[in-house]
Amino acid sequence: MGAGGRMTDPFDGKKILERVPVDPPFSLSDLKKAIPAHCFKRSVIRSSYYVVHDLIVAYVFYFLANTYIPFLPPSLAYLAWPVYWFCQASILTGLWVIGHECGHHAFSEYQWIDDTIGFILHSALMTPYFSWKYSHRNHHANTNSLDNDEVYIPKRKSKVRWYSKILNNPPGRVFTLVFRFTLGFPLYLLTNISGKKYGRFANHFDPMSPIFTERERIQVLVSDIGLLAVFYAIKLAVTAKGAAWVTCIYGVPVLGVHMFFVIITYLHHTHLSLPHYDSTEWNWIKGALSTIDRDFGFLNRVFHDVTHTHVLHHLISYIPHYHAKEARDAIIPVLGEFYKIDRTPIFKAMWREAKECIYIEPDQASEHKGVFWYHKM
């Protein structure tokens, strides 16, 4: 994954690790003016096409796996199942991305359509749609604010846990990455791990959780009901086909979706060039600019370009994915050195970030005492 070797690309090489500026000379209005008007238009027909397309591809993968893999010799079946898991998880991640787009009202002009499609897609992929929609909205409203961001809040040096020092070696980093990408999303939903610190226990399933406002609580309950319906369907499938079949056909691909999602967002928000801000320095546009695009190679298209249009997405989240690349290219001249895309191959990038981005501290000699940068142990 990733498209390395493009030496003529100005975003390649050591320059990509240079810190971005912290005081943008442009406004959100300037960026919107640079984007062609049609990029803001949301078409329910066009958006629905991508849902139908991905569902058809997912069904084809299911049909091939269910029809042929059980009859392969064991040695070939052990190779075929991982191929199916990767392919199915990839296409289902594309559907998850469309559900995420629904949460930003980027699917159509009608909120009820967006919420209906998003609720169905995310529930089927073991994500509480409304609960995550609201916490994710808070993340967009407070990106890279050390006081108010909802997730991916790095630690100060003094807060680094003892086990981080023990794991600061190659085997420890492998364990950390595997743990983060396999259990990170479920633990975030269940325990708010890596999330904003509230005065009491918080999770995404409790309607009374401090994450949510009073008007949101009923929809959190609706999200829970959606997941219960999926669990009931899984129970019926296990009864009819067996636990092993359900795990291989459905369980592992959904785990793969969660892994892809965490890998993508981790790499979007973890980079040596990106600042975090305390309340003395943070404002909305500074925070929205403090993210980076990534190149996942052929998976960019499978993931509906969410991987390499993330900077745009944090600035204007209601632009649909099929206009995102054009809108991104339109604002790059305005963003100038505030825009970065890192084309480092994905596995290499994950390893580098796990090694280099351990804690944050401000530069002692800087006049910006409320601007924090990543450091390694």
Side-chain angles (χ1 to χ4, degrees):
M1 290 182 291
R6 305 179 187 178
M7 298 308 294
T8 59
D9 194 318
F11 297 111
D12 272 346
K14 293 183 179 179
K15 185 178 179 181
I16 196 62
L17 299 179
E18 293 179 2
R19 294 173 176 178
V20 297
V22 297
D23 291 311
F26 48 81
S27 67
L28 180 61
S29 177
D30 295 328
L31 297 172
K32 287 182 176 180
K33 289 176 183 176
I35 298 173
H38 69 266
C39 290
F40 295 95
K41 294 181 179 179
R42 300 160 290 194
S43 166
V44 67
I45 295 175
R46 189 169 181 182
S47 295
S48 298
Y49 160 78
Y50 289 100
V51 175
V52 173
H53 171 274
D54 286 0
L55 287 173
I56 291 173
V57 175
Y59 176 78
V60 169
F61 288 151
Y62 156 76
F63 176 80
L64 293 174
N66 187 54
T67 303
Y68 296 107
I69 294 180
F71 300 101
L72 292 175
S75 58
L76 292 179
Y78 287 132
L79 296 175
W81 278 120
V83 172
Y84 165 73
W85 293 334
F86 175 82
C87 293
Q88 191 69 292
S90 298
I91 202 69
L92 292 180
T93 299
L95 284 167
W96 194 98
V97 168
I98 293 175
H100 154 263
E101 199 162 86
C102 290
H104 285 289
H105 196 17
F107 186 87
S108 75
E109 298 293 334
Y110 307 97
Q111 186 70 62
W112 71 270
I113 293 179
D114 291 31
D115 284 341
T116 301
I117 299 297
F119 174 71
I120 293 170
L121 292 178
H122 272 196
S123 296
L125 296 172
M126 288 295 179
T127 303
Y129 171 72
F130 290 106
S131 309
W132 191 82
K133 169 185 171 179
Y134 292 133
S135 68
H136 187 63
R137 177 198 61 193
N138 295 339
H139 163 61
H140 270 258
N142 299 282
T143 308
N144 281 32
S145 165
L146 293 175
D147 302 302
N148 295 305
D149 200 355
E150 196 65 41
V151 71
Y152 286 117
I153 305 169
K155 289 181 170 58
R156 297 285 300 270
K157 186 176 183 180
S158 60
K159 300 293 185 181
V160 172
R161 301 291 182 87
W162 59 269
Y163 52 77
S164 296
K165 299 176 182 179
I166 294 176
L167 296 173
N168 186 36
N169 52 65
R173 281 191 282 277
V174 170
F175 172 82
T176 300
L177 288 170
V178 171
F179 180 87
R180 173 180 286 124
F181 298 145
T182 56
L183 297 178
F185 190 50
L187 287 177
Y188 170 63
L189 295 176
L190 286 165
T191 70
N192 201 39
I193 189 173
S194 82
K196 180 180 177 180
K197 302 305 178 187
Y198 291 93
R200 63 179 181 86
F201 181 73
N203 70 37
H204 282 69
F205 304 103
D206 177 9
M208 302 308 295
S209 173
I211 297 173
F212 311 113
T213 64
E214 285 296 327
R215 70 177 184 84
E216 296 165 352
R217 302 196 192 284
I218 186 65
Q219 289 181 305
V220 174
L221 184 60
V222 172
S223 297
D224 294 344
I225 293 171
L227 291 180
L228 288 174
V230 173
F231 277 118
Y232 182 70
I234 292 172
K235 177 181 179 296
L236 295 178
V238 169
T239 301
K241 304 288 287 186
W245 183 90
V246 172
T247 300
C248 289
I249 290 293
Y250 173 79
V252 177
V254 169
L255 175 62
V257 172
H258 293 176
M259 290 176 64
F260 274 133
F261 164 66
V262 176
I263 291 170
I264 292 166
T265 54
Y266 171 73
L267 292 177
H268 279 156
H269 292 284
T270 309
H271 197 269
L272 285 170
S273 70
L274 301 179
H276 286 74
Y277 302 95
D278 70 12
S279 58
T280 66
E281 287 277 355
W282 185 88
N283 63 42
W284 182 85
I285 195 165
K286 281 184 177 182
L289 289 168
S290 299
T291 182
I292 190 166
D293 284 351
R294 298 282 189 166
D295 187 355
F296 277 64
F298 72 93
L299 287 176
N300 289 333
R301 184 173 181 180
V302 179
F303 296 160
H304 301 303
D305 299 313
V306 72
T307 45
H308 59 165
T309 60
H310 193 250
V311 176
L312 167 79
H313 175 67
H314 262 270
L315 291 163
I316 310 169
S317 61
Y318 53 86
I319 290 180
H321 70 269
Y322 41 82
H323 293 316
K325 287 194 294 183
E326 182 181 0
R328 175 204 63 193
D329 293 344
I331 65 172
I332 284 177
V334 181
L335 294 174
E337 58 186 338
F338 285 83
Y339 175 80
K340 282 182 180 286
I341 180 169
D342 192 338
R343 302 190 189 280
T344 304
I346 297 307
F347 287 108
K348 182 179 179 180
M350 289 190 295
W351 186 259
R352 183 189 66 201
E353 271 46 291
K355 180 180 179 181
E356 303 287 339
C357 302
I358 306 300
Y359 66 89
I360 55 167
E361 286 293 322
D363 289 339
Q364 295 302 316
S366 173
E367 63 183 68
H368 297 283
K369 299 301 182 184
V371 180
F372 294 72
W373 303 94
Y374 273 113
H375 295 272
K376 61 182 178 181
M377 195 73 68

